Structure formats: structure tokens, C-alpha cells
């Protein structure tokens, strides 16, 4: 048995709210699907998009206790993914 203290820290309420807010653009998935032609190759990315958002949110939530910097990296990548999906379906 280890005598080292447990380095986990509890997840603060503001981080919970930030993770949930970073996952919220997923509710606009029906609009993304409606804007994408059904036979387009982008549809493959749209099918995996909800799985990625949920996995990233769970990983960000679980990693905060030991490595909060990993949580910030995951959240930044999640926000960039939201932007990339919108640009993929609606190019400028």
C-alpha cells in the first residue's frame, strides 16, 4: 500500500459548467446534417462527431483530478472540432 497522498483534486463547479458548455454545440447536429448532402463524404465525419464530443467531454471530466492541463487541451481541441465541423459542411 502506498503512503503517498492521493493527488486527485475535486472537479470545481465552474469546470463542470465549462465542460458542459463546450459540449453544447452538439445539439445543433440536426442542422449540420440538414446542410450536408446525404451522399457526401462529409457525412462520415458527421456520424462520428457525436461520439467524439461525448468521449472528449468524459475524458476532460475524468482527467481534471490528476492533470488539469490535459483537461484544458481537450477542451480547446473540442472547440476547434466544433468549428471545423461547421466549416466542413458550410464552407466559406
Amino acid at each position: 500500500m502506498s503512503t503517498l497522498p492521493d493527488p486527485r483534486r475535486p472537479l470545481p463547479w465552474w469546470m463542470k459548467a465549462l465542460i458542459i458548455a463546450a459540449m453544447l454545440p452538439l445539439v445543433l447536429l440536426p442542422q449540420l446534417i440538414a446542410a450536408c448532402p446525404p451522399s457526401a463524404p462529409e457525412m462520415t465525419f458527421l456520424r462520428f462527431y457525436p461520439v467524439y464530443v461525448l468521449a472528449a467531454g468524459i475524458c476532460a471530466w475524468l482527467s481534471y483530478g490528476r492533470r488539469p492541463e490535459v483537461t484544458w487541451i481537450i477542451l480547446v481541441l473540442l472547440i476547434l472540432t466544433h468549428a471545423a465541423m461547421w466549416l466542413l459542411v458550410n464552407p466559406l
Side-chain angles (χ1 to χ4, degrees):
M1 201 183 252
S2 176
T3 59
L4 296 174
D6 191 9
R8 290 186 214 163
R9 59 186 91 164
L11 190 66
W13 66 269
W14 57 269
M15 183 54 79
K16 292 176 187 177
L18 187 63
I19 292 171
I20 292 170
M23 294 174 63
L24 275 180
L26 184 62
V27 299
L28 299 175
L29 182 64
Q31 290 179 352
L32 281 173
I33 292 174
C36 185
S39 63
E42 292 89 357
M43 205 57 181
T44 305
F45 288 110
L46 285 176
R47 287 190 186 111
F48 290 112
Y49 177 57
V51 176
Y52 168 74
V53 171
L54 291 175
I58 291 169
C59 288
W61 192 289
L62 294 176
S63 67
Y64 185 82
R66 291 189 185 260
R67 302 213 183 248
E69 59 276 355
V70 172
T71 298
W72 288 107
I73 293 169
I74 292 171
L75 289 178
V76 168
L77 289 174
L78 182 59
I79 292 168
L80 288 173
T81 302
H82 291 311
M85 292 306 290
W86 278 101
L87 285 174
L88 180 69
V89 174
N90 302 316
L92 297 176

Coordinates of all heavy atoms in Angstrom, one line a residue:
M1 N 0.8 -1.2 0.0 CA 0.0 0.0 0.0 C 0.9 1.2 0.0 O 1.9 1.3 0.7 CB -0.9 0.0 1.2 CG -2.1 0.8 1.1 SD -3.1 0.9 2.5 CE -4.5 -0.1 2.0
S2 N 0.5 2.2 -0.8 CA 1.3 3.4 -0.9 C 1.0 4.4 0.2 O -0.1 4.5 0.7 CB 0.9 4.1 -2.2 OG 1.6 5.3 -2.4
T3 N 2.1 5.1 0.7 CA 2.0 6.1 1.7 C 1.9 7.5 1.2 O 1.8 8.4 1.9 CB 3.2 6.0 2.7 OG1 4.3 6.2 1.9 CG2 3.2 4.6 3.4
L4 N 1.9 7.6 -0.2 CA 1.8 8.9 -0.8 C 0.4 9.4 -0.7 O -0.6 8.6 -0.9 CB 2.3 8.9 -2.2 CG 3.8 8.5 -2.5 CD1 4.0 8.3 -3.9 CD2 4.7 9.6 -1.9
P5 N 0.2 10.7 -0.5 CA -1.2 11.2 -0.5 C -1.8 11.2 -1.9 O -1.1 11.2 -3.0 CB -1.0 12.7 -0.1 CG 0.4 13.0 -0.4 CD 1.2 11.8 -0.3
D6 N -3.1 11.0 -2.0 CA -3.8 11.0 -3.3 C -3.8 12.4 -3.9 O -4.3 13.3 -3.3 CB -5.2 10.5 -3.0 CG -5.9 10.1 -4.3 OD1 -5.3 10.1 -5.4 OD2 -7.1 9.9 -4.3
P7 N -3.2 12.5 -5.1 CA -3.1 13.8 -5.7 C -4.4 14.3 -6.4 O -4.4 15.4 -7.0 CB -2.0 13.7 -6.7 CG -2.1 12.2 -7.1 CD -2.5 11.5 -5.9
R8 N -5.4 13.5 -6.4 CA -6.6 13.9 -7.1 C -7.3 15.1 -6.4 O -7.3 15.2 -5.2 CB -7.6 12.8 -7.1 CG -7.2 11.7 -8.0 CD -8.3 10.7 -8.0 NE -7.7 9.4 -8.2 CZ -8.3 8.3 -7.9 NH1 -9.6 8.2 -7.6 NH2 -7.7 7.1 -8.1
R9 N -7.7 16.0 -7.2 CA -8.5 17.2 -6.6 C -9.9 17.1 -7.2 O -10.1 16.7 -8.3 CB -7.8 18.5 -7.0 CG -7.6 18.7 -8.5 CD -6.8 19.9 -8.8 NE -5.5 19.5 -8.9 CZ -4.5 20.2 -9.4 NH1 -4.7 21.3 -9.9 NH2 -3.3 19.7 -9.4
P10 N -10.8 17.6 -6.4 CA -12.2 17.5 -6.9 C -12.5 18.5 -8.1 O -11.8 19.5 -8.2 CB -13.1 17.9 -5.7 CG -12.1 18.7 -4.8 CD -10.7 18.2 -5.1
L11 N -13.4 18.1 -8.9 CA -13.8 19.0 -10.0 C -14.6 20.2 -9.6 O -15.7 20.0 -9.0 CB -14.5 18.1 -11.1 CG -14.8 18.7 -12.4 CD1 -13.5 18.9 -13.2 CD2 -15.7 17.8 -13.2
P12 N -14.2 21.4 -9.7 CA -14.9 22.5 -9.3 C -16.2 22.8 -10.2 O -16.2 22.3 -11.3 CB -14.0 23.7 -9.4 CG -12.9 23.3 -10.3 CD -12.9 21.8 -10.3
W13 N -17.1 23.5 -9.6 CA -18.4 23.7 -10.3 C -18.2 24.5 -11.6 O -18.8 24.2 -12.6 CB -19.4 24.4 -9.5 CG -19.0 25.8 -9.1 CD1 -18.3 26.2 -8.1 CD2 -19.3 27.0 -9.9 NE1 -18.1 27.6 -8.1 CE2 -18.7 28.1 -9.2 CE3 -19.9 27.2 -11.1 CZ2 -18.7 29.4 -9.7 CZ3 -20.0 28.5 -11.6 CH2 -19.4 29.6 -10.9
W14 N -17.2 25.4 -11.7 CA -17.0 26.2 -12.9 C -16.4 25.3 -14.0 O -16.7 25.6 -15.2 CB -16.2 27.4 -12.6 CG -14.8 27.1 -12.0 CD1 -14.5 27.0 -10.7 CD2 -13.6 26.8 -12.7 NE1 -13.2 26.7 -10.5 CE2 -12.6 26.6 -11.7 CE3 -13.3 26.7 -14.0 CZ2 -11.3 26.3 -12.1 CZ3 -12.0 26.4 -14.4 CH2 -11.0 26.2 -13.4
M15 N -15.6 24.3 -13.6 CA -15.1 23.4 -14.7 C -16.2 22.5 -15.2 O -16.2 22.2 -16.4 CB -13.9 22.6 -14.1 CG -13.2 21.8 -15.1 SD -12.7 22.6 -16.6 CE -11.2 23.3 -16.1
K16 N -17.0 22.1 -14.3 CA -18.2 21.3 -14.8 C -19.0 22.0 -15.8 O -19.4 21.5 -16.8 CB -19.1 20.8 -13.6 CG -18.4 19.9 -12.7 CD -19.3 19.6 -11.5 CE -18.6 18.7 -10.4 NZ -19.4 18.5 -9.2
A17 N -19.3 23.3 -15.4 CA -20.1 24.1 -16.3 C -19.4 24.4 -17.6 O -20.0 24.4 -18.7 CB -20.4 25.5 -15.6
L18 N -18.1 24.6 -17.6 CA -17.3 24.8 -18.8 C -17.2 23.6 -19.7 O -17.4 23.7 -20.9 CB -15.8 25.2 -18.4 CG -14.9 25.7 -19.5 CD1 -15.5 27.0 -20.2 CD2 -13.5 25.9 -19.0
I19 N -17.1 22.4 -19.1 CA -17.1 21.2 -19.9 C -18.5 21.0 -20.6 O -18.5 20.7 -21.8 CB -16.7 20.0 -19.1 CG1 -15.2 20.1 -18.7 CG2 -17.0 18.7 -19.8 CD1 -14.8 19.1 -17.6
I20 N -19.5 21.2 -19.9 CA -20.9 21.0 -20.4 C -21.1 22.1 -21.5 O -21.7 21.8 -22.6 CB -21.9 21.1 -19.3 CG1 -21.8 19.9 -18.4 CG2 -23.3 21.2 -19.9 CD1 -22.6 19.9 -17.1
A21 N -20.7 23.3 -21.3 CA -20.9 24.4 -22.3 C -20.1 24.1 -23.5 O -20.5 24.4 -24.6 CB -20.4 25.7 -21.7
A22 N -18.9 23.5 -23.4 CA -18.1 23.1 -24.6 C -18.7 22.0 -25.4 O -18.5 21.9 -26.6 CB -16.7 22.7 -24.1
M23 N -19.6 21.2 -24.7 CA -20.2 20.1 -25.4 C -21.6 20.5 -26.0 O -22.1 19.8 -26.8 CB -20.5 18.9 -24.4 CG -19.2 18.3 -24.0 SD -19.4 17.0 -22.7 CE -20.4 15.8 -23.6
L24 N -22.1 21.7 -25.6 CA -23.4 22.1 -26.1 C -23.6 22.3 -27.6 O -24.7 22.0 -28.1 CB -23.8 23.4 -25.3 CG -24.5 23.2 -24.0 CD1 -24.8 24.5 -23.4 CD2 -25.7 22.2 -24.0
P25 N -22.6 22.7 -28.3 CA -22.9 22.8 -29.8 C -23.3 21.5 -30.5 O -23.8 21.5 -31.6 CB -21.5 23.3 -30.3 CG -20.9 24.0 -29.2 CD -21.3 23.3 -28.0
L26 N -23.2 20.4 -29.8 CA -23.7 19.1 -30.3 C -25.2 19.1 -30.5 O -25.6 18.4 -31.4 CB -23.3 18.0 -29.4 CG -23.6 16.6 -29.8 CD1 -22.8 16.2 -31.1 CD2 -23.3 15.6 -28.8
V27 N -25.9 19.9 -29.8 CA -27.4 20.0 -30.0 C -27.7 20.5 -31.4 O -28.9 20.4 -31.8 CB -28.1 20.8 -28.9 CG1 -27.8 20.1 -27.6 CG2 -27.7 22.2 -28.9
L28 N -26.8 21.2 -32.1 CA -27.0 21.7 -33.4 C -26.7 20.7 -34.5 O -26.7 21.0 -35.7 CB -26.2 23.0 -33.7 CG -26.6 24.1 -32.7 CD1 -25.6 25.3 -32.9 CD2 -28.0 24.6 -32.9
L29 N -26.5 19.4 -34.1 CA -26.2 18.4 -35.1 C -27.3 18.2 -36.2 O -26.9 18.0 -37.3 CB -25.9 17.0 -34.4 CG -25.6 15.9 -35.3 CD1 -24.2 16.1 -36.0 CD2 -25.5 14.6 -34.4
P30 N -28.6 18.3 -35.8 CA -29.6 18.2 -36.9 C -29.4 19.2 -38.0 O -29.7 19.0 -39.2 CB -30.9 18.3 -36.1 CG -30.6 17.8 -34.8 CD -29.2 18.3 -34.5
Q31 N -29.0 20.4 -37.6 CA -28.8 21.5 -38.6 C -27.6 21.1 -39.5 O -27.6 21.4 -40.7 CB -28.6 22.8 -37.9 CG -29.8 23.4 -37.3 CD -29.5 24.7 -36.6 OE1 -28.4 25.2 -36.5 NE2 -30.6 25.4 -36.2
L32 N -26.6 20.6 -38.9 CA -25.4 20.2 -39.7 C -25.8 19.1 -40.7 O -25.4 19.1 -41.8 CB -24.3 19.7 -38.8 CG -23.4 20.7 -38.1 CD1 -22.5 20.0 -37.1 CD2 -22.6 21.5 -39.1
I33 N -26.6 18.1 -40.2 CA -27.0 17.0 -41.1 C -27.9 17.5 -42.2 O -27.8 17.1 -43.3 CB -27.6 15.9 -40.3 CG1 -26.6 15.2 -39.4 CG2 -28.3 14.9 -41.2 CD1 -27.2 14.2 -38.4
A34 N -28.8 18.5 -41.9 CA -29.6 19.0 -42.9 C -28.9 19.8 -44.0 O -29.3 19.8 -45.1 CB -30.7 19.9 -42.3
A35 N -27.8 20.4 -43.6 CA -27.0 21.2 -44.5 C -26.0 20.4 -45.4 O -25.5 20.8 -46.4 CB -26.2 22.3 -43.8
C36 N -25.9 19.1 -45.0 CA -24.9 18.2 -45.7 C -25.7 17.3 -46.6 O -26.7 16.7 -46.2 CB -24.1 17.4 -44.7 SG -22.9 16.4 -45.4
P37 N -25.3 17.2 -47.9 CA -25.9 16.2 -48.8 C -25.7 14.8 -48.3 O -24.7 14.5 -47.7 CB -25.2 16.4 -50.1 CG -24.4 17.7 -50.0 CD -24.2 18.0 -48.6
P38 N -26.7 13.9 -48.4 CA -26.7 12.6 -47.8 C -25.5 11.7 -48.4 O -25.0 10.9 -47.7 CB -28.0 12.0 -48.1 CG -28.7 12.9 -49.0 CD -28.0 14.2 -49.1
S39 N -25.2 11.9 -49.6 CA -24.1 11.1 -50.2 C -22.7 11.7 -50.1 O -21.8 11.1 -50.7 CB -24.5 10.7 -51.7 OG -24.5 11.9 -52.4
A40 N -22.6 12.8 -49.5 CA -21.3 13.5 -49.4 C -20.4 12.7 -48.4 O -20.8 12.1 -47.5 CB -21.5 14.9 -48.9
P41 N -19.1 12.8 -48.7 CA -18.1 12.2 -47.8 C -18.1 12.8 -46.4 O -17.6 12.2 -45.5 CB -16.8 12.3 -48.5 CG -17.0 13.2 -49.7 CD -18.4 13.4 -49.9
E42 N -18.6 14.1 -46.3 CA -18.6 14.7 -45.0 C -19.5 14.0 -44.1 O -19.4 14.2 -42.8 CB -19.0 16.2 -45.2 CG -18.0 17.1 -45.9 CD -18.2 17.1 -47.4 OE1 -19.1 16.3 -47.9 OE2 -17.5 17.8 -48.1
M43 N -20.5 13.3 -44.6 CA -21.5 12.6 -43.8 C -20.8 11.6 -42.9 O -21.2 11.3 -41.7 CB -22.5 11.9 -44.7 CG -23.8 11.7 -44.0 SD -24.5 13.2 -43.5 CE -26.0 12.6 -42.8
T44 N -19.7 11.0 -43.3 CA -18.9 10.1 -42.4 C -18.4 10.8 -41.2 O -18.5 10.2 -40.1 CB -17.7 9.5 -43.2 OG1 -18.2 8.9 -44.4 CG2 -17.0 8.4 -42.4
F45 N -17.9 12.0 -41.4 CA -17.4 12.7 -40.2 C -18.6 13.1 -39.3 O -18.4 13.1 -38.1 CB -16.7 14.0 -40.7 CG -15.3 13.7 -41.3 CD1 -15.1 13.9 -42.6 CD2 -14.3 13.3 -40.5 CE1 -13.9 13.6 -43.2 CE2 -13.0 13.0 -41.0 CZ -12.8 13.2 -42.4
L46 N -19.7 13.4 -39.9 CA -20.9 13.8 -39.1 C -21.4 12.6 -38.2 O -21.9 12.8 -37.2 CB -22.0 14.3 -39.9 CG -21.8 15.8 -40.5 CD1 -22.9 16.1 -41.4 CD2 -21.7 16.7 -39.3
R47 N -21.2 11.4 -38.7 CA -21.6 10.3 -37.9 C -20.8 10.0 -36.7 O -21.2 9.6 -35.7 CB -21.6 9.0 -38.8 CG -22.7 9.0 -39.8 CD -22.9 7.7 -40.5 NE -23.9 7.8 -41.6 CZ -23.6 7.7 -42.9 NH1 -22.4 7.6 -43.3 NH2 -24.6 7.8 -43.7
F48 N -19.5 10.3 -36.8 CA -18.6 10.1 -35.7 C -18.5 11.3 -34.8 O -17.9 11.2 -33.7 CB -17.1 9.8 -36.2 CG -17.1 8.4 -36.8 CD1 -16.8 8.3 -38.2 CD2 -17.2 7.3 -36.0 CE1 -16.8 7.0 -38.7 CE2 -17.1 6.0 -36.6 CZ -16.9 5.9 -37.9
Y49 N -19.0 12.5 -35.2 CA -18.9 13.7 -34.4 C -19.6 13.6 -33.0 O -18.9 14.0 -32.1 CB -19.6 14.8 -35.3 CG -19.7 16.2 -34.6 CD1 -18.6 16.8 -34.2 CD2 -20.9 16.8 -34.6 CE1 -18.7 18.1 -33.6 CE2 -21.0 18.1 -34.0 CZ -19.9 18.7 -33.5 OH -20.0 19.9 -33.0
P50 N -20.8 13.0 -32.9 CA -21.4 12.9 -31.5 C -20.5 12.0 -30.6 O -20.4 12.3 -29.4 CB -22.8 12.4 -31.8 CG -23.0 12.4 -33.2 CD -21.7 12.6 -33.9
V51 N -20.0 11.0 -31.2 CA -19.2 10.0 -30.4 C -18.0 10.7 -29.9 O -17.6 10.6 -28.7 CB -18.8 8.8 -31.2 CG1 -17.9 7.9 -30.4 CG2 -20.1 8.1 -31.7
Y52 N -17.3 11.5 -30.7 CA -16.1 12.3 -30.4 C -16.4 13.3 -29.3 O -15.7 13.4 -28.3 CB -15.5 12.9 -31.6 CG -14.4 13.9 -31.1 CD1 -13.2 13.5 -30.7 CD2 -14.7 15.3 -31.1 CE1 -12.2 14.4 -30.2 CE2 -13.7 16.2 -30.7 CZ -12.5 15.7 -30.3 OH -11.5 16.6 -29.8
V53 N -17.5 14.0 -29.4 CA -17.9 15.1 -28.5 C -18.1 14.4 -27.1 O -17.6 15.0 -26.1 CB -19.1 15.9 -28.9 CG1 -19.6 16.8 -27.8 CG2 -18.7 16.7 -30.2
L54 N -18.9 13.4 -27.0 CA -19.1 12.7 -25.8 C -17.8 12.1 -25.2 O -17.6 12.3 -23.9 CB -20.2 11.6 -25.9 CG -21.6 12.1 -26.3 CD1 -22.5 10.9 -26.6 CD2 -22.1 12.9 -25.1
A55 N -17.0 11.5 -26.0 CA -15.7 11.0 -25.5 C -14.8 12.1 -25.0 O -14.2 11.9 -23.9 CB -15.1 10.1 -26.6
A56 N -14.7 13.2 -25.7 CA -13.9 14.3 -25.2 C -14.4 14.9 -23.9 O -13.6 15.2 -23.1 CB -13.8 15.3 -26.3
G57 N -15.7 15.0 -23.8 CA -16.3 15.6 -22.6 C -16.0 14.7 -21.4 O -15.6 15.1 -20.3
I58 N -16.2 13.4 -21.6 CA -15.9 12.4 -20.5 C -14.4 12.4 -20.1 O -14.0 12.4 -18.9 CB -16.4 11.0 -20.9 CG1 -17.9 11.0 -20.9 CG2 -15.9 9.9 -19.9 CD1 -18.5 9.7 -21.6
C59 N -13.5 12.4 -21.1 CA -12.1 12.4 -20.9 C -11.7 13.7 -20.2 O -10.8 13.7 -19.2 CB -11.3 12.3 -22.2 SG -11.4 10.6 -22.8
A60 N -12.2 14.9 -20.6 CA -11.9 16.1 -19.9 C -12.4 16.1 -18.4 O -11.7 16.6 -17.5 CB -12.6 17.3 -20.6
W61 N -13.6 15.5 -18.2 CA -14.1 15.5 -16.9 C -13.2 14.6 -16.0 O -12.9 14.9 -14.8 CB -15.5 14.9 -16.9 CG -16.3 15.0 -15.7 CD1 -16.2 14.3 -14.5 CD2 -17.5 15.8 -15.5 NE1 -17.1 14.6 -13.6 CE2 -17.9 15.6 -14.2 CE3 -18.1 16.8 -16.3 CZ2 -19.1 16.2 -13.7 CZ3 -19.2 17.4 -15.8 CH2 -19.7 17.1 -14.5
L62 N -12.8 13.4 -16.5 CA -12.1 12.5 -15.7 C -10.6 12.9 -15.5 O -10.0 12.5 -14.5 CB -12.1 11.1 -16.3 CG -13.5 10.4 -16.3 CD1 -13.4 9.1 -17.1 CD2 -14.1 10.2 -14.9
S63 N -10.1 13.6 -16.4 CA -8.6 14.0 -16.3 C -8.3 15.2 -15.4 O -7.2 15.4 -15.1 CB -8.1 14.2 -17.7 OG -8.6 15.4 -18.3
Y64 N -9.4 15.9 -15.0 CA -9.1 17.1 -14.3 C -8.5 16.8 -12.9 O -7.6 17.6 -12.4 CB -10.4 17.9 -14.1 CG -10.1 19.2 -13.3 CD1 -9.6 20.3 -14.1 CD2 -10.3 19.4 -12.0 CE1 -9.4 21.5 -13.4 CE2 -10.0 20.6 -11.3 CZ -9.5 21.6 -12.1 OH -9.3 22.8 -11.4
G65 N -8.8 15.7 -12.3 CA -8.4 15.4 -10.9 C -6.9 15.2 -10.8 O -6.2 15.7 -9.9
R66 N -6.2 14.6 -11.8 CA -4.8 14.4 -11.8 C -4.0 15.4 -12.7 O -2.9 15.7 -12.4 CB -4.5 13.0 -12.1 CG -4.9 12.0 -11.1 CD -4.4 10.7 -11.4 NE -4.9 9.7 -10.4 CZ -4.2 9.3 -9.4 NH1 -3.0 9.7 -9.1 NH2 -4.8 8.4 -8.5
R67 N -4.6 15.7 -13.9 CA -3.9 16.6 -14.8 C -4.8 17.6 -15.4 O -5.4 17.4 -16.5 CB -3.3 15.7 -15.9 CG -2.4 14.6 -15.4 CD -1.3 14.4 -16.5 NE -0.4 13.3 -16.0 CZ 0.8 13.5 -15.7 NH1 1.3 14.7 -15.7 NH2 1.6 12.5 -15.3
P68 N -5.0 18.7 -14.7 CA -5.9 19.8 -15.2 C -5.5 20.4 -16.6 O -6.3 20.8 -17.3 CB -5.9 20.8 -14.1 CG -4.8 20.5 -13.2 CD -4.4 19.1 -13.4
E69 N -4.2 20.3 -16.9 CA -3.7 20.9 -18.1 C -4.2 20.1 -19.3 O -4.5 20.6 -20.4 CB -2.2 21.1 -18.2 CG -1.4 19.8 -18.0 CD -1.2 19.4 -16.5 OE1 -1.6 20.2 -15.6 OE2 -0.6 18.3 -16.3
V70 N -4.3 18.8 -19.1 CA -4.9 17.9 -20.1 C -6.4 18.2 -20.4 O -6.8 18.2 -21.5 CB -4.7 16.4 -19.8 CG1 -5.4 15.5 -20.7 CG2 -3.2 16.0 -19.7
T71 N -7.1 18.6 -19.3 CA -8.5 19.0 -19.5 C -8.6 20.2 -20.4 O -9.4 20.3 -21.3 CB -9.1 19.3 -18.1 OG1 -9.1 18.1 -17.3 CG2 -10.5 19.7 -18.2
W72 N -7.7 21.2 -20.2 CA -7.7 22.4 -21.0 C -7.4 22.1 -22.4 O -8.0 22.6 -23.4 CB -6.8 23.4 -20.4 CG -7.2 24.0 -19.2 CD1 -6.8 23.8 -17.9 CD2 -8.3 25.0 -19.0 NE1 -7.5 24.5 -17.0 CE2 -8.5 25.3 -17.6 CE3 -9.2 25.6 -19.9 CZ2 -9.4 26.1 -17.2 CZ3 -10.2 26.4 -19.4 CH2 -10.3 26.7 -18.1
I73 N -6.4 21.2 -22.7 CA -6.1 20.8 -24.0 C -7.2 20.1 -24.7 O -7.6 20.4 -25.9 CB -4.8 19.9 -24.0 CG1 -3.6 20.7 -23.6 CG2 -4.6 19.3 -25.4 CD1 -2.4 19.9 -23.3
I74 N -7.9 19.2 -24.0 CA -9.1 18.5 -24.6 C -10.2 19.5 -24.9 O -10.8 19.4 -26.0 CB -9.6 17.4 -23.7 CG1 -8.5 16.3 -23.6 CG2 -10.9 16.9 -24.1 CD1 -8.8 15.3 -22.5
L75 N -10.4 20.5 -24.0 CA -11.5 21.5 -24.3 C -11.2 22.4 -25.5 O -12.1 22.7 -26.3 CB -11.7 22.3 -23.1 CG -12.4 21.6 -21.9 CD1 -12.5 22.5 -20.7 CD2 -13.7 21.1 -22.3
V76 N -9.9 22.8 -25.6 CA -9.5 23.6 -26.8 C -9.7 22.8 -28.1 O -10.3 23.3 -29.1 CB -8.1 24.1 -26.7 CG1 -7.6 24.6 -28.0 CG2 -8.0 25.1 -25.6
L77 N -9.3 21.5 -28.1 CA -9.5 20.6 -29.3 C -10.9 20.4 -29.6 O -11.3 20.4 -30.7 CB -8.8 19.3 -29.1 CG -7.2 19.4 -29.1 CD1 -6.7 18.0 -28.7 CD2 -6.8 19.8 -30.4
L78 N -11.8 20.3 -28.5 CA -13.2 20.1 -28.7 C -13.8 21.3 -29.4 O -14.6 21.2 -30.3 CB -13.9 19.8 -27.4 CG -15.4 19.6 -27.4 CD1 -15.7 18.4 -28.2 CD2 -15.9 19.4 -26.0
I79 N -13.5 22.5 -29.0 CA -14.0 23.8 -29.5 C -13.5 23.9 -31.0 O -14.3 24.3 -31.9 CB -13.6 25.0 -28.7 CG1 -14.4 24.9 -27.3 CG2 -13.9 26.3 -29.4 CD1 -13.9 25.8 -26.3
L80 N -12.2 23.6 -31.2 CA -11.7 23.6 -32.6 C -12.5 22.6 -33.5 O -12.7 22.8 -34.7 CB -10.2 23.4 -32.6 CG -9.4 24.5 -32.1 CD1 -7.9 24.1 -32.0 CD2 -9.5 25.7 -33.0
T81 N -12.8 21.5 -33.0 CA -13.6 20.5 -33.7 C -14.9 20.9 -34.1 O -15.4 20.7 -35.2 CB -13.6 19.1 -32.9 OG1 -12.3 18.7 -32.6 CG2 -14.4 18.1 -33.7
H82 N -15.6 21.6 -33.2 CA -16.9 22.2 -33.5 C -16.8 23.2 -34.7 O -17.6 23.1 -35.6 CB -17.5 23.0 -32.3 CG -17.9 22.1 -31.1 ND1 -18.7 21.0 -31.3 CD2 -17.6 22.2 -29.8 CE1 -18.9 20.4 -30.1 NE2 -18.3 21.2 -29.2
A83 N -15.8 24.0 -34.6 CA -15.6 25.0 -35.7 C -15.3 24.3 -37.0 O -15.8 24.7 -38.1 CB -14.5 26.0 -35.3
A84 N -14.5 23.2 -36.9 CA -14.1 22.5 -38.1 C -15.3 21.8 -38.8 O -15.4 21.8 -40.0 CB -13.0 21.5 -37.8
M85 N -16.2 21.3 -38.0 CA -17.4 20.6 -38.5 C -18.3 21.6 -39.2 O -18.8 21.3 -40.2 CB -18.1 19.9 -37.4 CG -17.4 18.7 -36.8 SD -16.8 17.5 -38.0 CE -18.3 16.8 -38.5
W86 N -18.5 22.8 -38.6 CA -19.3 23.8 -39.3 C -18.7 24.2 -40.6 O -19.4 24.5 -41.6 CB -19.5 25.0 -38.4 CG -20.6 24.7 -37.4 CD1 -20.5 24.3 -36.1 CD2 -22.0 24.7 -37.7 NE1 -21.8 24.1 -35.6 CE2 -22.7 24.4 -36.5 CE3 -22.8 25.0 -38.8 CZ2 -24.1 24.3 -36.4 CZ3 -24.2 24.9 -38.7 CH2 -24.8 24.6 -37.6
L87 N -17.3 24.4 -40.6 CA -16.7 24.8 -41.9 C -16.7 23.7 -42.9 O -16.7 24.0 -44.1 CB -15.2 25.3 -41.6 CG -15.1 26.6 -40.9 CD1 -13.7 26.9 -40.5 CD2 -15.6 27.7 -41.8
L88 N -16.7 22.5 -42.4 CA -16.7 21.3 -43.4 C -18.0 21.3 -44.1 O -18.1 21.1 -45.3 CB -16.5 20.0 -42.6 CG -16.5 18.7 -43.4 CD1 -15.3 18.7 -44.3 CD2 -16.5 17.6 -42.5
V89 N -19.1 21.5 -43.4 CA -20.4 21.4 -44.0 C -20.8 22.7 -44.7 O -21.4 22.7 -45.8 CB -21.5 21.1 -42.9 CG1 -22.9 21.2 -43.5 CG2 -21.2 19.7 -42.4
N90 N -20.4 23.9 -44.1 CA -20.7 25.2 -44.7 C -19.4 25.9 -45.0 O -19.0 26.8 -44.3 CB -21.6 26.0 -43.7 CG -22.8 25.4 -43.3 OD1 -23.5 24.8 -44.2 ND2 -23.2 25.4 -42.1
P91 N -18.8 25.6 -46.1 CA -17.5 26.3 -46.4 C -17.8 27.8 -46.8 O -18.8 28.1 -47.2 CB -17.0 25.5 -47.7 CG -18.1 24.8 -48.2 CD -19.1 24.6 -47.1
L92 N -16.7 28.6 -46.5 CA -16.9 30.0 -46.7 C -16.9 30.3 -48.2 O -16.9 30.1 -49.1 CB -15.7 30.7 -46.1 CG -15.7 30.6 -44.6 CD1 -14.4 31.3 -44.0 CD2 -16.9 31.2 -43.9

